[in-house]
Amino acid sequence: MPRQSPRWCLAAAVAVLLAGTAASSQSSSSITFQSPAQGWNVFASSNPLPFGSTAAIHYSVDRLTQCRGNINGTTPGWTMTGYYQFNDGPVQRFWVAGFSSTPNPPAPSIPLNTRGTLAIWFENTSRWGCQAWDSNFGNNHVFTVQ
């Protein structure tokens, strides 16, 4: 059997390492916010969440039922919005449920592109001026990204 040169073996090892790094940086994560019937549990797919992945947000709209109502019986007159913040920086937001002015809005997710503390909270508003919040008893839901 022919012997491989050390240079070829090193190149192959680097290629495998780079492929693994690219795959892990594009991996997905999730954060689940369960309904009251499921015990109000909140959990992440891993702790800490992996830096470089995207966290799918699985939010049970049964957690925040205030401020509901439909227009003409079918169109939601309410919107649920998620908010997130890394390390007390700028607040970002994403659509969760209800009315959206964007046709076919994307599924809720957060790009985990910053290491440190990730805070998440939710707001439900209606066209009639109602506003309700889902946070952890007045504190935002907090996760670590590494």
Side-chain angles (χ1 to χ4, degrees):
M1 199 160 176
R3 185 167 182 226
Q4 302 295 331
S5 75
R7 192 173 291 176
W8 182 88
C9 291
L10 178 60
V14 168
V16 168
L17 179 61
L18 289 175
T21 301
S24 68
S25 69
Q26 296 172 359
S27 66
S28 62
S29 303
S30 65
I31 304 173
T32 302
F33 297 83
Q34 292 183 328
S35 71
Q38 297 170 310
W40 295 93
N41 295 312
V42 176
F43 57 89
S45 58
S46 65
N47 186 16
L49 290 161
F51 170 77
S53 66
T54 297
I57 304 300
H58 303 289
Y59 187 86
S60 171
V61 295
D62 291 339
R63 291 178 64 91
L64 196 51
T65 57
Q66 303 91 328
C67 304
R68 298 291 176 88
N70 290 334
I71 304 165
N72 298 327
T74 57
T75 304
W78 56 276
T79 300
M80 191 167 305
T81 305
Y83 297 91
Y84 67 96
Q85 181 181 43
F86 288 102
N87 303 317
D88 295 323
V91 175
Q92 306 291 320
R93 65 188 205 170
F94 56 94
W95 174 87
V96 177
F99 177 78
S100 172
S101 59
T102 304
N104 303 313
S109 66
I110 298 173
L112 303 176
N113 53 13
T114 302
R115 296 179 198 276
T117 302
L118 168 64
I120 304 173
W121 64 100
F122 299 88
E123 176 188 32
N124 199 22
T125 57
S126 77
R127 69 176 297 171
W128 302 281
C130 183
Q131 180 182 38
W133 298 93
D134 178 0
S135 57
N136 190 15
F137 299 101
N139 299 308
N140 298 328
H141 304 282
V142 177
F143 304 90
T144 299
V145 178
Q146 287 185 349

